[in-house]
Amino acid sequence: MTENGCIFCRIARKEIPAKLVGENDLALAFWDVSPRQPLHILVIPKLHYANVAELTLNDEKSLVSVMKLASELALEHAEESFRFSFNTGAGAGQTVFHAHAHLTSQTPRSESA
Ligand code: DGP
């Protein structure tokens, strides 16, 4: 499932650049272009799902891949505490309608800051 014009699909296909930070078979991670926390990484499924509920209900393998990659990166890049969040719907602040986890932390490891 892909969507023409979806910016995160285009990043997943490596058609447009992003600062990649990790990848596995079904998920990709890159630094958020406008970070709102000292550590701010986005983790996306490579396949297109509009939000985390669509992802969860349709593709458990991609969901697990997203969460595994996000967890690995959290342990690697956050000092002690971190947050995963999925804005879902415009009213909740979602602006890119391709499912993505925000991995944020106020306490990045020094080499990640
Ligand atoms: P949300 O508001 O939850 O839909 O989050 C979308 C995030 O995606 C927002 O923090 C900014 C980020 N973003 C949007 N376009 C790009 C892009 O082209 N590259 C990167 N690296 N991040 C992007």
Side-chain angles (χ1 to χ4, degrees):
M1 201 189 300
T2 57
E3 252 195 19
N4 289 333
C6 169
I7 189 132
F8 286 179
C9 284
R10 298 189 69 200
I11 289 174
R13 291 197 297 264
K14 318 269 169 76
E15 287 174 7
I16 59 172
K19 268 182 75 181
L20 302 184
V21 63
E23 183 171 13
N24 61 30
D25 282 357
L26 293 172
L28 184 72
F30 47 94
W31 298 97
D32 194 290
V33 76
S34 50
R36 273 156 285 161
Q37 298 260 319
L39 180 75
H40 194 162
I41 291 171
L42 300 175
V43 187
I44 67 168
K46 290 182 177 176
L47 300 178
H48 183 86
Y49 297 97
N51 58 52
V52 68
E54 268 202 19
L55 168 65
T56 301
L57 295 174
N58 290 289
D59 188 347
E60 289 180 17
K61 283 187 177 166
S62 288
L63 172 70
V64 169
S65 296
V66 166
M67 295 312 297
K68 271 191 168 176
L69 183 56
S71 298
E72 289 163 3
L73 292 170
L75 296 178
E76 182 180 348
H77 290 281
E79 184 62 50
E80 179 244 337
S81 56
F82 59 85
R83 173 176 288 140
F84 297 143
S85 51
F86 294 85
N87 296 331
T88 305
Q94 187 176 9
T95 58
V96 178
F97 292 86
H98 180 127
H100 51 281
H102 293 263
L103 161 59
T104 54
S105 175
Q106 289 286 359
T107 55
R109 292 190 188 277
S110 51
E111 64 271 22
S112 303

